[in-house]
Amino acid sequence: MLKICVTIFLFFASFWIWAGEEDRRNPLGGLYLNPLQVISVEEIQNLDTEIRIPIDEDSGIAFRKEPKPSPGNPDAVPETSGEETGPKSLEVKTKEVEGLLKRYYSQFIEEKRIWEDRERGNIYNSRSDQNDVRLLLWKNTHRLTETYIVRDSPVLYDLHIRAAKLYAEQGKSAPALRHYLAAFKYHPLDLSEEMYMNGEWQKEDYKNLFLGPANTHRDTFQKMNDAYADWERAKNNQHTKLSELARKNRPLSEIRTVENNLVLETKAKEKVYLDAKKAYEESKKQTFDIYLDNKRKSDSIALYDMASVVKKLEDDNKERLKIINKLGTAGKGIYVLFDYKRNVDFFAYELLLERAHSQWPENPFVIFDIAEQYRQDSQKERAIDFYEKYLNLMKESKISGADADEKLRTTYLRLASLNADIKRKVIASQYYESYFKIAEDSKEKTRVSYEMGLFFANHIGDLKKASEFFIYWLNRNSKDWNPSLTESMGLEELEALAFFHLSRLDKLNRRPDAERGKLNLAYNQWKKIDSDLLDAEKLLLDLKSQKQKIKKDLLVTTEDEALSKYRLLDLKIEDAEGKVRILKTKSDKVPFLKIMYRLAVLAEGNRDFVRANEYYDKVIQYGGEVEIQAALKEKKRVERILATGNIYPPFNESI
């Protein structure tokens, strides 16, 4: 009896344990729904239309659309009156995409329940852009998920990318970056042929673009493998049967007959395999290669868009405080103070550009930005390589548009300046000319034309080319050259240099009258600067004398009015000294002594020795020791000509 009771107790105890274990060991494979079970294809398509997706105001989750809403269905769309119609705003589009994503994430338990919970952690903080950039760096140096697996989900990838672009369009970089990071958790960048034929993406190919070709390619691949297996079996069968006949000592004629039949059968199997292999290679070229090429291009574009968001975050992260220092102890001017707690340079932008370039090496936008980064890092030769690659791509693709044209002009200009920096003068001149041909009339082109004139005159020695650019610049900036200008542009020293180089071309072409006219224009521009400089120096002396007078008064009394005048005079003296320095710099830019020497030689050519003597006096007044000695010799010679009437050639006529 006791034995029977123990048996019954153990039976019920095992039943209770079995029931509890069954509850806890319930398989979780079908617990969560896949994206297409939660989000319908129709709803994804409605994102690009004017059809509204109803959103719950409290949770932000999109209501599930049912054919016939009923009171017993909590997820059914409620009946609404006066529904909004017309084009959707950016806010509405963003809410709808977020609502669909929140509906999918709401099925997960604990910390993964809804999307907002992701923002509550320290690493996800919409108030700190710095954390987002650090997160990006961490993600790029570690695995993307806790399980070290990247899911291939086209639905979630497309929705996250759409949300990221909408946030970026609104200027909200932090949520845009979070969506980009989430998107690439559902999108492996390294795609194999096996993943193309049997990958998870096939379950969510809601656009129905690649599923049919992938299945066809898989069948072709399987046929090739089957044909190869048949060929291998035929070869093995041939060797086996011939070995058996040899062991049985069959006649040689019989062995040869069987061998010929087996060889024919093997060759037929080989032909079937080769045909299947050729069909597979053709299918691979028509399906997988095209799919892979399109995927890499789209991935490169998405990474480039992500890099643009990161660049904005990096720039915003560099907070600087500018101050104006007017004390004489540590220099004067505008200084930049760095906030060392916030200003931390990250390399995430360059890292993403490299990834975008590795996905699609022919992406012109990525190539241009990489070239810009190398230029900013002073890696000039590498920058030139990428600029030239971008230039070749633009010529091949023939991309047009305002932005493309602007980048093309910038590329020519960058190539010209970079080649000039590394002493490739002739190559730089070619890029300068290319820029000048395609650039439209603008302030930028006018500014660059002057630089090009100086470059061709000083570095290339092509005065004819330099004159074209100087004339273009003078027509738009010089009041003496272009009388239609209503006021002077304040570029006297630049105009004097331009006139001087134009006179050199006239000298080369033996046109003394034209040369004299341009030299006189250059001289007149220098006289304007010299006049302003004398006025500025006179004003500075007056201010200093006033300061000395007030300083003497302050020895007797310290009235507030006298002190305020003293401080005001200090500021005025600083401004006056700055103006004098600027005018002296402008005056030093003009080759005044060369202009005077050449005008003196031209005056002697016209037998105007009195004026030539005046020009030599100017050289003696403003020149250095060497110039003064040379001018004194010429002056004595001219005075002897005026006294005797005999013509003596100048000592330095080649000037």
Side-chain angles (χ1 to χ4, degrees), residues 115-177:
W115 180 250
E116 279 92 353
D117 290 336
R118 291 176 162 273
E119 298 183 19
R120 294 176 186 168
N122 292 329
I123 202 164
Y124 279 107
N125 188 348
S126 59
R127 292 173 296 177
S128 175
D129 297 338
Q130 188 178 23
N131 281 337
D132 286 313
V133 181
R134 284 175 175 165
L135 172 64
L136 175 64
L137 290 179
W138 188 87
K139 291 295 183 184
N140 277 281
T141 53
H142 295 72
R143 294 289 184 178
L144 291 179
T145 59
E146 295 84 355
T147 56
Y148 300 93
I149 296 173
V150 179
R151 281 189 54 200
D152 195 354
S153 175
V155 173
L156 295 177
Y157 172 75
D158 290 347
L159 288 175
H160 277 297
I161 289 291
R162 184 189 292 265
K165 289 181 177 179
L166 289 171
Y167 276 120
E169 195 173 350
Q170 297 174 59
K172 300 178 180 179
S173 301
L177 180 57

Side-chain angles (χ1 to χ4, degrees), residues 642-655:
L642 290 172
T644 63
N646 296 325
I647 304 299
Y648 301 99
F651 294 105
N652 199 9
E653 190 177 357
S654 61
I655 294 178

Side-chain angles (χ1 to χ4, degrees), residues 311-425:
K311 187 175 188 300
K312 186 177 184 305
L313 285 172
E314 287 182 347
D315 292 341
D316 293 343
N317 186 52
K318 296 174 181 177
E319 293 185 357
R320 301 176 179 182
L321 176 65
K322 292 184 178 180
I323 62 169
I324 299 177
N325 181 20
K326 290 189 175 180
L327 300 175
T329 54
K332 301 171 184 178
I334 298 177
Y335 289 84
V336 180
L337 298 181
F338 291 87
D339 183 359
Y340 68 93
K341 293 182 179 179
R342 287 281 297 168
N343 186 57
V344 182
D345 290 329
F346 298 106
F347 56 90
Y349 175 63
E350 294 181 7
L351 185 146
L352 284 172
L353 285 181
E354 289 177 4
R355 286 204 168 188
H357 182 256
S358 66
Q359 289 297 314
W360 182 22
E362 307 300 320
N363 190 339
F365 306 105
V366 175
I367 291 171
F368 181 84
D369 282 10
I370 290 175
E372 284 285 292
Q373 287 299 307
Y374 279 131
R375 184 185 65 85
Q376 293 174 14
D377 294 341
S378 297
Q379 300 186 39
K380 297 178 182 179
E381 293 185 356
R382 299 198 70 176
I384 288 172
D385 292 339
F386 277 93
Y387 277 125
E388 289 178 344
K389 187 174 182 179
Y390 174 79
L391 199 60
N392 295 330
L393 286 173
M394 294 296 288
K395 290 178 180 177
E396 293 173 2
S397 60
K398 296 180 180 179
I399 300 174
S400 59
D403 185 58
D405 294 342
E406 179 63 27
K407 284 187 175 181
L408 188 62
R409 290 191 291 269
T410 303
T411 301
Y412 278 123
L413 202 54
R414 295 276 195 265
L415 284 170
S417 60
L418 289 170
N419 279 288
D421 289 343
I422 60 175
K423 310 303 180 186
R424 297 176 182 172
K425 307 292 185 182

